[in-house]
Amino acid sequence: MSTEEIRAIELLGRVSYGRVAASMRAMPFVAPARHVVSGGGVLIRMHEGLGHHQACHGSVVAYEADDVDAGGASLWSVQFTGTAEIVEPTAAERAAFGPEPAAVDGEPFLPVFLRIEPQFVTAHTLEYTRAGDSEERHLYHAA
């Protein structure tokens, strides 16, 4: 694993939620998901009732997470692209997810888990200057 991939996985471990992007019936969609980093891959938990997991299973998906709501001077975004597979997590992996939502769109939450083995990993860092500085904003890319 490259140092950029290790850095991206470390960043991903700092937040709990991200977005999975795939296509369903040839139409793109983005869905929120809870994630944990496990074994160099990303394990995500989604609501079974929406059917998004069926579109993801066996397909190439993108998973993105970031800290853009942190409001700091340095922000980051990580994207993993790889094939998603429905899995049954270990007891330790399941515990790492923490509590489940009670409901999604008024329906009881039914968890389903997918593992994404990253084939492509990108990490972007946005650095802002202090207010009043005349320097431009910078975007750094590591892939």
Side-chain angles (χ1 to χ4, degrees):
M1 196 176 285
S2 72
T3 57
E4 291 85 8
E5 290 171 327
I6 293 168
R7 174 74 174 140
I9 288 172
E10 186 271 326
L11 289 170
L12 190 62
R14 295 182 184 184
V15 295
S16 300
Y17 284 87
R19 292 147 293 282
V20 63
S23 65
M24 183 183 290
R25 294 184 292 280
M27 299 297 291
F29 73 90
V30 177
R34 171 77 168 92
H35 69 263
V36 296
V37 175
S38 175
V42 180
L43 187 62
I44 64 172
R45 180 180 72 192
M46 303 176 74
H47 174 54
E48 184 179 276
L50 299 175
H52 294 145
H53 65 290
Q54 294 169 332
C56 294
H57 178 65
S59 298
V60 174
V61 302
Y63 188 76
E64 190 273 340
D66 56 57
D67 74 340
V68 297
D69 289 333
S74 179
L75 305 175
W76 57 264
S77 173
V78 171
Q79 181 174 304
F80 287 75
T81 303
T83 303
E85 297 292 334
I86 295 174
V87 297
E88 185 57 40
T90 66
E93 289 170 332
R94 190 179 280 267
F97 278 102
E100 296 176 349
V104 174
D105 296 337
E107 299 292 325
F109 180 76
L110 300 170
V112 64
F113 301 88
L114 294 107
R115 180 174 304 281
I116 304 169
E117 295 298 334
Q119 295 168 335
F120 301 102
V121 178
T122 57
H124 300 282
T125 304
L126 296 99
E127 295 185 19
Y128 292 89
T129 58
R130 293 182 307 269
D133 288 350
S134 60
E135 294 181 33
E136 293 182 26
R137 294 180 177 166
H138 299 281
L139 173 66
Y140 298 99
H141 171 76

